[in-house]
Amino acid sequence: MGACNSLLFEDCVSETDPHFAAKGPSDILGQDGRWGKLTGFFRVDVKSFDPVNGGGEKPSPYNPEVPATARSPYDSGVRSAYYNHTAVGSRLLLNRIYFARPAPEEFCAAVTFPPPFEGYDCGVTGHSEFAGIYAALNHENDGTLSVARATGRYSFPGEVFESDEESLIIITDDNSFEIHVHKKGSFGSFSSVQEIVFFGDDSASAVHTSINGEKISSVEVVTLTRITEDEFLKGIEETNDDFNVPEVLRVESPMTSDVPTGYEDIFPTEADWCGGLISDVACTESPYQEPNPKMKDGFVALFVIIGLAVFGSVAYLLHRNAVKKQQKRYKEQFVRGIARNITIAPSAGMIPADKLKAEFDHIDKNKGGTITKDELKEFMDTGKFGTISEKDFEAMWSAMDVDGSGEVDFVEFTTFLGSCGTEFETVSKEHAYMTNEEKKTWASQRLSAMYTNTKD
């Protein structure tokens, strides 16, 4: 099969559909360097807003049905966080730690509830929680990343969501990114959108909107500042101490590995990356394969014409060959019939004219001066020189009755015999190579024929 987008074949599908275009590098940064702006270490300030009443989000009483990470009894209006965004080949790993200060003293004095977790002391201890989003380049060939899984703060305790086609990380322009997470679980449906805009290379702002079911559950405004790895590690340690986070609640630091300790069971496995949850370009085959090229209509017509011409030529040659074989058969049969009555020669021209006229009159049974079709058929069916098929007889009659009158005169008779040059030669050789026994049989047949002619 030829190549598409060539002289004979139509344009490649990839010319109009980017899904089928040649694939770029299978690593994120190699395919689009703008992803580098989203990677690195960041110190983050988070300000949460009450989506219902407006203003900063306030601490709420302990509710055992609501995870402590969602509107927990802390000063959740202002939080600190540290982000570690890493590109590993075709995959983007977003590991994050959020910190909450201890609840205000007045809140703890007014509300009484059991400790929500080990080590909690209202107004004294703070809290930290992990969050992760894991995505990889997909086969859409548009630079988007498919989200395989979200964990920790971006999920619910004990829940692992299955990604869908809307869970994506995309580049919206040279400085902007959007992270879309959609998931379903026993808790119902949840979705969130993070819109991140960079101002230069070292700072960015973001808006994080979460929707639980059909209701907006939280809105956060985030400020990101790029820092070094050392500053990242030191900042986590200092924030744990400043917020008095209990050791049992502290997320492992330095948190520089791809899989955070304590979250191994919900971090995507290779099977998840490679067709289970998403189709990572590095380990799965694209569903968009260039189909076999289609030949241009003009060339299709041309090849059809050429094909018909070749077929017609072959058919003509086969037909002509069949006709020649048929002519040879009925001419040899006719010459063998004549040889019963006259001595055969290598050609008709070597036989005396009176002998030919006598043979013509022998075939002309009704003595009308011409040979009819029935008279010729009777002649061909008489004797032991072989049989002739109906098809061969009809072809022979058409060859002899040149003017189509339905009768063969002497001129047509001799003209036909004149066309039997090779056949006279063949029959003459047959007689020359006869054995003595065959010659006796042939002589007997000739005497019988001569006797019949005498009676006629």
Side-chain angles (χ1 to χ4, degrees):
M1 180 64 70
C4 57
N5 203 20
S6 61
L7 177 64
L8 295 179
F9 296 92
E10 293 184 351
D11 292 343
C12 302
V13 175
S14 58
E15 295 290 327
T16 55
D17 189 339
H19 292 104
F20 295 86
K23 308 302 177 185
S26 60
D27 64 288
I28 292 175
L29 299 179
Q31 185 170 108
D32 194 327
R34 291 178 294 178
W35 286 112
K37 188 167 288 188
L38 187 60
T39 62
F41 299 94
F42 300 91
R43 181 177 62 248
V44 181
D45 295 317
V46 183
K47 186 172 181 61
S48 300
F49 292 89
D50 187 331
V52 178
N53 301 314
E57 187 177 23
K58 301 300 181 182
S60 60
Y62 169 71
N63 183 345
E65 301 298 326
V66 178
T69 57
R71 298 192 59 150
S72 60
Y74 293 101
D75 184 2
S76 55
V78 178
R79 293 173 181 260
S80 296
Y82 287 88
Y83 290 177
N84 175 8
H85 296 173
T86 306
V88 182
S90 59
R91 300 168 187 177
L92 182 64
L93 314 177
L94 307 182
N95 290 319
R96 302 169 175 181
I97 302 178
Y98 288 84
F99 295 91
R101 294 179 178 277
E105 291 183 6
E106 59 272 20
F107 173 80
C108 295
V111 179
T112 302
F113 49 84
F117 34 72
E118 182 183 354
Y120 172 75
D121 188 353
C122 187
V124 178
T125 56
H127 182 57
S128 68
E129 53 184 326
F130 174 77
I133 298 176
Y134 309 108
L137 280 170
N138 55 43
H139 293 289
E140 296 305 306
N141 218 25
D142 56 3
T144 60
L145 312 183
S146 291
V147 175
R149 185 165 288 166
T151 63
R153 186 171 185 261
Y154 298 146
S155 187
F156 283 76
E159 296 284 355
V160 176
F161 84 95
E162 300 298 329
S163 62
D164 58 29
E165 294 180 354
E166 297 180 4
S167 295
L168 301 169
I169 302 179
I170 62 177
I171 298 176
T172 54
D173 60 39
D174 289 344
N175 299 298
S176 303
F177 304 85
E178 290 185 2
I179 303 172
H180 297 259
V181 175
H182 300 264
K183 54 183 177 284
K184 292 182 179 181
S186 61
F187 51 81
S189 62
F190 174 82
S191 63
S192 70
V193 179
Q194 301 178 35
E195 300 171 272
I196 305 173
V197 180
F198 277 83
F199 304 101
D201 292 331
D202 298 329
S203 63
S205 292
V207 175
H208 184 182
T209 304
S210 299
I211 302 174
N212 193 354
E214 297 182 357
K215 180 181 178 181
I216 297 177
S217 57
S218 68
V219 177
E220 297 176 342
V221 176
V222 181
T223 301
L224 296 84
T225 302
R226 191 180 299 276
I227 58 177
T228 65
E229 182 177 354
D230 288 340
E231 291 172 327
F232 171 80
L233 299 175
K234 184 178 180 180
I236 292 175
E237 183 178 358
E238 291 178 347
T239 305
N240 272 321
D241 293 339
D242 290 346
F243 287 9
N244 195 27
V245 177
E247 286 294 332
V248 70
L249 298 179
R250 295 191 180 193
V251 177
E252 182 194 39
S253 180
M255 200 194 76
T256 54
S257 65
D258 295 341
V259 184
T261 300
Y263 292 88
E264 296 88 351
D265 57 335
I266 55 177
F267 188 83
T269 64
E270 279 303 302
D272 292 333
W273 290 111
C274 303
L277 294 176
I278 61 173
S279 295
D280 182 348
V281 295
C283 57
T284 58
E285 183 178 9
S286 172
Y288 304 106
Q289 300 295 326
E290 185 74 39
N292 290 331
K294 181 181 179 182
M295 187 175 289
K296 294 177 180 177
D297 291 341
F299 285 102
V300 171
L302 176 61
F303 280 107
V304 168
I305 292 173
I306 293 174
L308 290 174
V310 171
F311 176 78
S313 298
V314 171
Y316 169 73
L317 292 175
L318 292 174
H319 174 70
R320 188 176 67 174
N321 185 52
V323 169
K324 286 184 176 180
K325 289 182 177 180
Q326 183 185 53
Q327 289 175 341
K328 183 175 179 61
R329 283 197 306 273
Y330 65 65
K331 285 182 178 181
E332 286 183 354
Q333 295 291 83
F334 188 69
V335 172
R336 290 190 183 99
I338 292 176
R340 291 181 305 159
N341 305 319
I342 59 177
T343 301
I344 205 68
S347 69
M350 298 175 66
I351 300 175
D354 60 330
K355 295 292 184 180
L356 293 178
K357 182 62 170 67
E359 187 64 17
F360 177 84
D361 292 340
H362 171 66
I363 299 173
D364 177 19
K365 294 292 185 180
N366 65 6
K367 310 305 178 185
T370 59
I371 298 174
T372 64
K373 191 173 184 179
D374 290 339
E375 289 172 334
L376 181 64
K377 187 67 169 64
E378 182 181 351
F379 171 75
M380 295 300 294
D381 288 342
T382 302
K384 297 182 180 180
F385 53 89
T387 59
I388 185 171
S389 68
E390 190 67 27
K391 187 175 182 180
D392 284 0
F393 175 77
E394 291 293 335
M396 184 180 71
W397 176 257
S398 296
M400 294 180 72
D401 183 15
V402 178
D403 60 7
S405 63
E407 296 177 333
V408 174
D409 58 25
F410 185 67
V411 174
E412 290 175 322
F413 176 76
T414 55
T415 300
F416 177 77
L417 287 177
S419 70
C420 299
T422 59
E423 288 73 28
F424 269 97
E425 184 177 356
T426 298
V427 175
S428 177
K429 288 181 179 179
E430 289 176 356
H431 287 193
Y433 291 107
M434 282 183 180
T435 64
N436 290 332
E437 190 64 31
E438 289 174 335
K439 287 180 179 179
K440 290 179 181 179
T441 300
W442 185 259
S444 175
Q445 291 178 355
R446 287 196 61 183
L447 289 173
S448 176
M450 292 173 61
Y451 173 75
T452 301
N453 289 343
T454 303
K455 289 178 62 178
D456 291 341

